[in-house]
Amino acid sequence: MMENSLKKYADAQNCPVRNVLDRFGDKWSTLVLLLLEEVEVLRFNELHKAIETISQKMLAVTLKSLEADGLIIRKQYQEIPPRVEYMLSARGASLMPHIKSLVQWANTNFEAIEQSREAYNR
Amino acid sequence: MMENSLKKYADAQNCPVRNVLDRFGDKWSTLVLLLLEEVEVLRFNELHKAIETISQKMLAVTLKSLEADGLIIRKQYQEIPPRVEYMLSARGASLMPHIKSLVQWANTNFEAIEQSREAYNR
DNA sequence: GTTATTAACTTACTTTTGGTAAGTAAAGAT
DNA sequence: ATCTTTACTTACCAAAAGTAAGTTAATAAC
């Protein structure tokens, strides 16, 4: 009764849900995407300052994987000191409505969830 | 020009977006939620078999945090061997449309993203 | 001519998180 | 007396993420 409906999630590699959601399952990707949607063009250090708690290393890793997935565009100028600008790609932009609907839900349910957490830890 | 629009993300603790999205930022929560939406009621071992690659420990941790957030309900029967059933709460159910819209996006964009990844790694 | 500055990262190292495998508890069946 | 069943927990190990310092190369200041 259950086997048929659940099997499709078993294989992480070939499951689109897991394969793609694992990517937003990381700590920073959605945040970077939200910032880029809001400000449109940002340099590495601007992102770093904006998020504050992210390390440079993690920001670099996050940007690379977003670029690899074609969600953001990296534009490098041949200048010194270096200048690199990041912005959403069309694909990245098409993702944002879905993420923002999640964000909206998070905003409306934030307080109730906090209260549940507190109640649970007592 | 940037300070005003970006500041709100700086503080993880009090930012609803970060605070709540960090929770789905883990590897397993969304998967458990999707399964529970599909099958409605599942026991610990059923979830464990369905996801396969999750460890019992991680499943226990995931279920606890989902319960703490009030997204799922844990119903324990006083029997031996023990019987515990998990199902979505109303709050959890209200989340699912947003998650599923993300899942849909993932399904439609899966192949293109895979191709981008391959191209990037060459 | 040496030193400082700037921006976008790397690298080496440490800490935190996640995974594996084995163990626990308690009743009923063998 | 031992085995089975279920829902976990615990001890130990591997992988991921965080920290801090280093790299590069041109221009500017001393």
Side-chain angles (χ1 to χ4, degrees):
Chain A
M1 90 235 220
M2 184 182 59
E3 283 74 21
N4 287 322
S5 49
L6 297 185
K7 228 171 218 163
K8 60 182 170 193
Y9 297 107
D11 179 12
Q13 277 258 292
N14 300 311
C15 171
V17 178
R18 302 203 39 191
N19 199 299
V20 175
L21 288 194
D22 275 4
R23 186 52 57 97
F24 310 114
D26 86 323
K27 206 172 170 181
W28 303 111
S29 292
T30 42
L31 224 79
V32 169
L33 292 173
L34 283 168
L35 285 170
L36 286 177
E37 197 199 28
E38 201 166 322
V39 187
E40 293 194 346
V41 178
L42 284 169
R43 301 175 66 174
F44 187 92
N45 277 345
E46 290 175 331
L47 283 161
H48 188 226
K49 275 169 208 153
I51 304 187
E52 271 188 356
T53 48
I54 198 175
S55 64
Q56 286 186 315
K57 176 189 153 191
M58 276 299 101
L59 180 55
V61 169
T62 301
L63 289 170
K64 259 184 206 164
S65 83
L66 289 173
E67 194 199 352
D69 286 6
L71 297 173
I72 63 173
I73 292 164
R74 178 181 188 275
K75 189 173 178 188
Q76 178 171 8
Y77 297 82
Q78 289 311 90
E79 301 174 3
I80 286 185
R83 179 151 68 108
V84 178
E85 292 178 344
Y86 293 94
M87 65 195 83
L88 287 182
S89 67
R91 187 183 296 162
S94 79
L95 212 207
M96 296 315 294
H98 304 98
I99 290 196
K100 283 169 84 177
S101 96
L102 248 190
V103 167
Q104 271 213 332
W105 184 93
N107 273 310
T108 39
N109 291 83
F110 176 55
E111 283 193 35
I113 288 177
E114 288 262 284
Q115 283 171 15
S116 293
R117 282 181 194 168
E118 274 178 45
Y120 187 85
N121 295 325
R122 253 185 278 121
Chain B
M1 93 241 216
M2 185 184 58
E3 285 75 20
N4 287 322
S5 49
L6 297 185
K7 228 171 217 162
K8 60 183 169 190
Y9 296 108
D11 179 12
Q13 278 258 292
N14 300 311
C15 172
V17 178
R18 303 203 36 191
N19 199 299
V20 176
L21 289 194
D22 275 3
R23 186 53 55 99
F24 311 113
D26 85 323
K27 207 172 171 180
W28 305 111
S29 292
T30 42
L31 225 81
V32 169
L33 291 173
L34 283 168
L35 285 171
L36 286 177
E37 196 200 28
E38 201 166 322
V39 187
E40 294 194 345
V41 177
L42 284 169
R43 299 175 67 173
F44 187 92
N45 278 345
E46 290 175 331
L47 283 162
H48 188 226
K49 274 169 209 153
I51 304 187
E52 270 188 357
T53 49
I54 198 175
S55 64
Q56 286 185 314
K57 175 188 155 193
M58 277 298 103
L59 180 55
V61 169
T62 301
L63 289 170
K64 259 183 205 164
S65 83
L66 289 173
E67 194 200 350
D69 285 7
L71 297 174
I72 63 172
I73 291 164
R74 179 180 187 272
K75 188 173 177 187
Q76 179 170 7
Y77 297 83
Q78 288 310 93
E79 299 174 4
I80 285 186
R83 179 152 69 107
V84 177
E85 292 179 345
Y86 293 95
M87 66 195 80
L88 286 183
S89 67
R91 187 183 295 161
S94 79
L95 212 205
M96 296 316 294
H98 305 97
I99 290 196
K100 284 169 85 177
S101 97
L102 250 189
V103 167
Q104 271 215 333
W105 185 93
N107 273 308
T108 39
N109 291 83
F110 176 55
E111 283 193 35
I113 288 177
E114 289 262 284
Q115 283 171 16
S116 293
R117 282 181 194 169
E118 275 178 43
Y120 187 84
N121 296 325
R122 253 184 277 121

